[in-house]
Each structure stands twice: as structure tokens, then as C-alpha cells.
Amino acid sequence: MKYFRLLSRARLWQWHRCVFSTTSSSKETLKRKEEFTSKLATGPQLKDFLVNNKPAETVSSTDDEDPPPYIIPSYSPSRNNKIYLETYGCQMNVNDTEIAWSILQQNGYVRTYTEAEADVILLVTCSVREKAEQTIWNRLQQLAALKRKRSKTSRMRIGLLGCMAERLKQEILDKENLVDLVAGPDAYRDLPRLLSVAETGQQVANVLLSVDETYADIMPVHTSASSKSAFVSIMRGCDNMCTYCIVPFTRGRERSRPLQSILEEVRMLSSQGVKEVTLLGQNVNSYRDTSSAQFPNAESPPLSRGFSTIYKHKKGGLRFVDLLDKVSQIDPEMRIRFTSPHPKDFPDEVLQLIAERHNICKQIHIPAQSGSNKVLETMRRGYSREVYLDLIQNIQESIPGVSLSSDFITGFCEETEEDHLQTLSLLRTVSYNAAFLFAYSMRKKTRAYHRLQDDVPQEVKQRRLAELIAVFREEAGRVNQRAVGSTQLVLVEGPSKRSPEELCGRNDGNTKVIFSEAPIVGGLAQENSLQNRIQSGDYVLVKITSSSSQSLKGTLLGLTTLQKSPAYS
């Protein structure tokens, strides 16, 4: 009984406590509510959020105000607007420089060719090999020293553009604050904004890759106005995913410029007197313009016989042969070249067009990379040595007198001495006019970096590279020796670097030709010098009298035109 009385008292005490707590809580809530209502009554009203307390329809336009920088497509530079540009690496980087400069010029920047005068120094970089990147790091240290000498009133900004920027963004920004801005290959439109932010003292970067950026609406400002040759980008990126290659990770997936924008640029170059255009792309002959609704389901040409890819066959669009056909018809006095192609994309129709058109140079770059089937398979190149040699034979039969060049990598993962000997054998078998030979340099992000071992010692790589160079030069010397006694059509580039009495240019096969006038009987000098009578951009006929592995020498026969004279005779 006593237990039940105690339990009853406990429950009653708990009830009183609950009621008291609830009452206290209610009072506190009511007090807070009254305070909030009081503050709300004395706070801003709706009218305070309207401009000049006018109705919305009469609010004045804000066009005269400075809009936020992330809304507008262009930026006005400050007085510190002098740009100095340096380009490293391949022809694509030359073209990137021209695109970047076009964008900056439209936004009020001024080009200077002296780094001491520059407010902004931009390096367009290469990332394909470690040596190329080390060159940039060394250059940044030099520029950092120059930057420190500047006073705060004339602060210099340093920017890194291109492939190295894409690959090493964070490392570049972190390393000793050497760089103020970083822009990848697809971010050049953003350069005015990036420079504007960098001017405030902040580091800034944009390395986003695009699936559709081709800069088709940007007309490049060619960096050498006096040059009679130019590069025209027709596509960007690569889908091949070779195990050693960083390009798909720094340049992104393949996408092609609309054909009409390319033709417009070539016509403009023709009107400016340019005599040679090189069509550019990481995989130039896989060009595929899908922008035209006229050819949505056009049948794609087959791959070169025996070649394969890791991606599905692509359908639709205008192909490389269509572009080459249209470009070659613009100016019969303009030479057309293209680089860099992949061997898989040489169907017979492309070879036939090259053979038929007098102004498409009979010179083809056809990268082999290795002469060993085992190494080619490890590289995921999509062909064997035998298939590659079949293509070489088909090219030589389809295009009589064709000049061939190639790329080779030595010391790739797991390459043996036998593999190396097979590559030397391929060099001897084909006898290239030109070749780009490199020791393998492993790149992060590539399949080789994740799946393979860079197990060939550096000293072995260098020894094999030296052997490749020696064999190539021997074979190239033989190829050029066969040209002695022939007459070559040469596009004049200008005075020879070695002798003011000679001029130089390139023949149809892209071999350098150095020439002078024939000795004058009786020793009487002509009134006008050779340089006064022959200008850069002229076509001349040259009789070849001697050769080396890198060039030809000869005597001038006279001026001519591209239409009147064959490439050689």
C-alpha cells in the first residue's frame, strides 16, 4: 500500500514539472515571437528593394553599369596589355599560338616581341616528352627572375598554355608560384577573363577539355606575316588511345572543324599571297565533318587494308578526301600538305586524289613507331609490320615518286634487342626522306603508365636512338643522292642561313634545297642580285648538283609556276 502511495506522488510531481516546463517554454517562445515581430516591423520593406522606389516597369536600364565579369564574353585589358608569346613543340602549338593571339588581339591586347617590354608572357607548351617539359620548367625559372626585378607598379604576369598546362595544372600552380595563370588547349576563349583575374594577384586556371571546341569561328592571326606558308587546323584531339601517347588526355577526343570554315581560312590565306598550306590535326586524315545535315548518313570509307581500331566504325559526315578535294581547288598555285596522319586512314580514294592533283604535294608522313610486331601490339597501333609494308607498297604504286617520312620510338616498354633490330630493318627497307626519332619517355595518365613497366635503361635507349639516327641518315643520303641530276620545282623561302649568295626553299617532297646562280661566263656580274630578282613565295626550277642526308644543292634555271612545271623531271 505504501508502495502505491509513493508511486502516485511521483507521478503527480512529474505532471507538475511537465506543466511548469511547458508553461515556461511557451512564455519563452511567445517572447521570441514578439521580439521578431518588432524587428520585422522596423526592418526594410518591399519598397526598399526597388530601385528609386519606382514600379518594376520603370526601372532604369543597367546597360551603362559594369556587369559581372562572368556574364560578358569580353574583357577590357588595363594599361598593362603588352603580350609576349613563346611557342614550344609541334605545328599544332604554332596554330594554337595564332588562335590565342587572335582572341587576345580582339580584346585589346598588343603584341610585343621583346620580353623586357611585356606585361604578360605566355608560353604555349608541349607535354609529349619529359625533355620538352623540362625545357619549360627551366624557362619558367628564368622568367621568374625577370618578374622579381619588376616593380609592383609594373607587375609582370606569366601564363602557361597548351598540353603541359592541361597535364600538370596543380603542380604548375603550386611550384614556387612561378605561374599566374594556366589555360588548357580548349580554354583559349577564356584567356581575357583569366588575365583579368590574374591582374588582381590571384592564380587562376581553366583546363577543362571540350567535346566540341574547334575554334571554327576564330580566324588565326598568323604570327609571321611575311611567310608564304601557313598551318590550318582542321581537327583536334585523338581517339586512337595508343598506350604510350598523352595526346588524348591533353587534347581530348576527336572533333573536326566544319568544312566551310576551313575553306574560308584557306581562301583568306590565298588572297594574302600564301603559297603553301599545311592541314593540321593530331589524326588529320580521320577528319569527319558532321556539321552538315546534308550528309548525316554518308558511308564512311574503309580503313587501310589490314588495319584496325579500338573504337567503333564512325558513320556520317564529310571525310578527309572531301576536304582535300575542296581545298586543292581553291588556288592552283597553292601547295597543299597535311600532317600528322595515322596509317589506318589511307583508303585508296585519298591516294588517288593525291596522285591526280598537281598542287597536293606527293609527300606523305606515315608514322610507323616500331618495326617489331610485338612492340606494335603493346603500343596498340592496330597493325603489324607486314600490313604497314603493304600500305607503303600501295602508296608507292599509287603515287609515283612519292616522298615518305615517319616517326619512331625506341626503348618502349619491354623492347628487346631483337625488337630494336627489326626497327632498324624497317628503316632500311622503306628508306624514308625524313624521320622523327625519339627515345621513349613515359607519361602519366597513359595506358603504359598504368599497365606497363618502363624497363629499358636510359643508356640503352640512347644507344638504340643513336643507331636509329645513323641508319636513317645513311638511307636518307641514298634517297637524296638519286635526285642529283634531276630538275626540281622549289618554293623559295628566302636567303640561305649559311651564305648570303644563296637562296633556299623546299621541293615537293619537303626536302630543303639550297641554290645559287650558275657561274657566269667571263666573270661578268649581273646588275640585279639573285635576292632582288627571286623573292620568297616564287616558284623556281633548280638543277640538283649535289646532296646530303638532309638537303639538296643546285643551280637556278629560272622562274616558273606550279601549274606549268612538274614537281621533278
Side-chain angles (χ1 to χ4, degrees):
M1 187 66 126
K2 186 177 180 180
Y3 169 77
F4 284 109
R5 283 198 206 101
L6 290 172
L7 183 61
S8 177
R9 286 176 184 174
R11 286 177 177 171
L12 182 62
W13 176 80
Q14 188 176 12
W15 178 81
H16 278 292
R17 184 181 178 186
C18 183
V19 169
F20 178 77
S21 176
T22 304
T23 303
S24 299
S25 177
S26 297
K27 288 180 179 179
E28 290 177 6
T29 301
L30 183 61
K31 184 180 180 181
R32 286 197 298 267
K33 185 175 182 181
E34 288 174 351
E35 290 176 354
F36 176 75
T37 304
S38 175
K39 290 180 179 179
L40 189 63
T42 59
Q45 304 296 313
L46 176 62
K47 64 181 181 179
D48 297 308
F49 292 95
L50 301 178
V51 178
N52 297 327
N53 197 22
K54 295 179 181 179
E57 62 269 20
T58 61
V59 173
S60 61
S61 170
T62 59
D63 289 346
D64 295 334
E65 299 178 4
D66 292 331
Y70 51 80
I71 290 179
I72 56 176
S74 62
Y75 298 80
S76 298
S78 67
R79 291 175 302 168
N80 305 320
N81 66 340
K82 291 183 179 179
I83 297 277
Y84 178 80
L85 291 158
E86 280 186 6
T87 308
Y88 297 83
C90 66
Q91 295 98 327
M92 281 297 294
N93 283 359
V94 174
N95 185 253
D96 276 11
T97 302
E98 294 169 347
I99 290 170
W101 171 229
S102 177
I103 292 167
L104 292 169
Q105 187 181 55
Q106 291 171 16
N107 283 271
Y109 285 89
V110 177
R111 184 83 178 267
T112 178
Y113 292 90
T114 305
E115 62 185 50
E117 295 180 353
D119 303 303
V120 181
I121 295 180
L122 299 178
L123 309 183
V124 184
T125 63
C126 174
S127 190
V128 75
R129 283 176 297 279
E130 185 177 355
K131 184 178 179 181
E133 288 186 355
Q134 190 55 51
T135 300
I136 301 299
W137 286 122
N138 294 340
R139 180 62 172 141
L140 286 176
Q141 293 289 350
Q142 295 172 2
L143 294 177
L146 178 62
K147 183 179 179 180
R148 286 191 292 269
K149 292 179 182 178
R150 293 285 187 94
S151 66
K152 291 184 179 179
T153 56
S154 60
R155 183 175 178 272
M156 176 190 288
R157 287 158 286 163
I158 299 174
L160 217 62
L161 314 184
C163 294
M164 186 173 170
E166 181 68 41
R167 195 179 87 82
L168 297 172
K169 179 193 87 169
Q170 201 57 50
E171 183 178 341
I172 292 166
L173 291 175
D174 292 344
K175 194 165 186 177
E176 302 175 28
N177 291 323
L178 295 176
V179 170
D180 300 290
L181 70 93
V182 174
D186 293 344
Y188 300 145
R189 293 181 193 272
D190 199 27
L191 279 174
R193 183 190 70 84
L194 295 175
L195 285 168
S196 179
V197 174
E199 193 169 358
T200 67
Q202 301 179 64
Q203 285 186 313
V204 62
N206 182 348
V207 293
L208 293 175
L209 287 175
S210 170
V211 296
D212 54 12
E213 179 62 270
T214 62
Y215 300 105
D217 59 323
I218 303 294
M219 194 62 70
V221 177
H222 294 282
T223 52
S224 179
S226 61
S227 176
K228 297 303 178 180
S229 61
F231 298 111
V232 175
S233 174
I234 69 168
M235 58 88 68
R236 300 174 76 85
C238 183
D239 290 344
N240 290 317
M241 300 299 290
C242 299
T243 55
Y244 57 84
C245 189
I246 192 66
V247 167
F249 304 97
T250 58
R251 292 277 181 173
R253 302 296 297 273
E254 286 181 14
R255 62 268 189 207
S256 299
R257 271 179 76 180
L259 184 142
Q260 289 304 320
S261 76
I262 298 169
L263 299 182
E264 180 183 350
E265 183 175 350
V266 175
R267 290 190 190 101
M268 181 199 71
L269 294 171
S270 174
S271 69
Q272 294 174 352
V274 170
K275 293 296 183 70
E276 183 175 276
V277 160
T278 301
L279 305 178
L280 287 180
Q282 269 82 25
N283 193 19
V284 67
N285 53 341
S286 71
Y287 174 87
R288 186 171 67 103
D289 173 20
T290 57
S291 66
S292 175
Q294 189 177 359
F295 302 95
N297 298 310
E299 194 63 33
S300 299
L303 299 176
S304 306
R305 286 186 292 274
F307 287 75
S308 64
T309 68
I310 64 168
Y311 55 80
K312 292 182 180 179
H313 195 52
K314 301 172 184 178
K315 295 183 179 180
L318 295 166
R319 306 302 298 220
F320 183 63
V321 68
D322 304 306
L323 172 66
L324 202 55
D325 176 36
K326 298 288 186 183
V327 169
S328 64
Q329 294 182 51
I330 290 175
D331 184 348
E333 286 296 311
M334 177 188 280
R335 276 178 172 172
I336 308 299
R337 301 186 189 274
F338 57 89
T339 197
S340 177
H342 191 285
K344 68 178 173 55
D345 293 309
F346 276 110
D348 290 343
E349 57 187 359
V350 170
L351 303 180
Q352 291 166 6
L353 181 66
I354 295 172
E356 292 170 2
R357 294 289 162 83
H358 76 281
N359 61 336
I360 302 178
C361 291
K362 310 304 182 279
Q363 180 258 328
I364 293 180
H365 185 67
I366 185 161
Q369 306 302 356
S370 176
S372 162
N373 283 337
K374 189 195 79 176
V375 174
L376 290 171
E377 184 176 358
T378 307
M379 289 178 166
R380 294 211 302 186
R381 289 291 290 171
Y383 54 85
S384 65
R385 174 193 177 99
E386 292 74 24
V387 165
Y388 179 87
L389 286 173
D390 286 345
L391 175 61
I392 293 293
Q393 182 178 353
N394 188 31
I395 291 173
Q396 291 174 332
E397 291 175 353
S398 301
I399 310 171
V402 66
S403 296
L404 299 173
S405 59
S406 191
D407 297 337
F408 285 91
I409 297 172
T410 188
F412 186 62
C413 305
E414 302 173 5
E415 183 187 71
T416 65
E417 280 300 313
E418 177 59 31
D419 297 325
H420 171 60
L421 291 175
Q422 290 177 24
T423 301
L424 293 176
S425 169
L426 184 64
L427 279 167
R428 292 190 177 97
T429 300
V430 178
S431 295
Y432 301 97
N433 294 68
F436 301 91
L437 311 168
F438 304 101
Y440 175 63
S441 175
M442 182 171 274
R443 306 280 79 197
K444 290 182 179 179
K445 296 185 179 181
T446 62
R447 184 179 176 87
Y449 179 80
H450 292 290
R451 304 288 183 89
L452 302 172
Q453 294 294 320
D454 186 10
D455 55 358
V456 179
Q458 190 62 33
E459 60 272 18
V460 174
K461 290 180 182 180
Q462 293 303 317
R463 191 241 320 150
R464 291 177 184 175
L465 177 60
E467 290 174 4
L468 287 183
I469 292 172
V471 170
F472 159 70
R473 286 180 174 171
E474 180 183 340
E475 294 301 321
R478 290 197 182 101
V479 171
N480 288 342
Q481 177 61 36
R482 291 198 287 268
V484 174
S486 68
T487 298
Q488 302 273 331
L489 177 64
V490 176
L491 176 61
V492 178
E493 294 178 345
S496 170
K497 294 179 180 179
R498 295 188 176 183
S499 171
E501 304 300 320
E502 297 176 321
L503 292 174
C504 71
R506 292 190 178 271
N507 66 4
D508 188 80
N510 210 27
T511 301
K512 179 179 285 190
V513 180
I514 301 167
F515 62 93
S516 59
E517 289 190 290
I520 301 169
V521 177
L524 297 174
Q526 296 195 24
E527 293 182 5
N528 292 327
S529 68
L530 181 64
Q531 284 83 353
N532 290 336
R533 290 180 289 108
I534 307 295
Q535 303 296 321
S536 172
D538 285 341
Y539 287 106
V540 295
L541 291 174
V542 175
K543 186 77 170 181
I544 304 303
T545 57
S546 63
S547 69
S548 69
S549 63
Q550 296 179 313
S551 64
L552 302 172
K553 293 197 72 172
T555 55
L556 175 70
L557 296 180
L559 285 163
T560 186
T561 65
L562 187 57
Q563 296 180 82
K564 289 181 179 179
S565 302
Y568 58 90
S569 58

